[in-house]
Amino acid sequence: MKVKAVLTTAFVLCTTLACVGGMLSASRLAAANQSSGGGDVNLNAIAAAVIGGTSLFGGRGTAFAALLGVLVIQSISSGLTLLNLDSAYRFMVTGGVLLLAVSLDAVARRSRVSHGRA
């Protein structure tokens, strides 16, 4: 019985926070349409967490490190925007940085496992 309550609470909390995030996004842009929230929002969120040290394999990472990852990703994005690069190049650079971070995480995880510190 407790599992169902926890599961229901988690879904309600996620839905409520998604709703609040959507309202904040719409109020910031002063408009909303069906494509709002598209683009690189998910890529930036995942990249910021991974660059901040959160493992895609689970079990590692802190909120402060994810915040530092957000600063790094936004710095890269702002710098590429200031260079007046096309959005396709910004996606490729962000994806490359994400690929590098995931590769380093996988190597570090393999090293920890081989040394018995997993």
Side-chain angles (χ1 to χ4, degrees):
M1 186 66 180
K2 292 248 186 204
V3 173
K4 287 184 180 182
V6 169
L7 191 62
T8 302
T9 303
F11 278 118
V12 168
L13 185 63
C14 286
T15 305
T16 303
L17 292 176
C19 178
V20 170
M23 287 189 291
L24 289 174
S25 177
S27 67
R28 184 178 72 109
L29 298 174
N33 60 23
Q34 292 174 338
S35 66
S36 293
D40 63 345
V41 175
N42 287 334
L43 175 65
N44 284 342
I46 293 168
V50 171
I51 288 172
T54 302
S55 177
L56 288 178
F57 305 106
R60 302 211 179 260
T62 63
F64 183 71
L67 180 62
L68 292 177
V70 169
L71 291 174
V72 169
I73 283 294
Q74 283 307 115
S75 297
I76 291 170
S77 180
S78 295
L80 295 175
T81 301
L82 288 173
L83 290 174
N84 203 17
L85 288 178
D86 191 28
S87 64
Y89 293 115
R90 288 190 298 226
F91 283 140
M92 285 188 280
V93 170
T94 304
V97 170
L98 181 58
L99 181 65
L100 180 68
V102 169
S103 299
L104 288 174
D105 181 43
V107 169
R109 177 173 162 74
R110 193 173 305 134
S111 174
R112 284 191 306 268
V113 167
S114 67
H115 289 93
R117 292 178 282 149

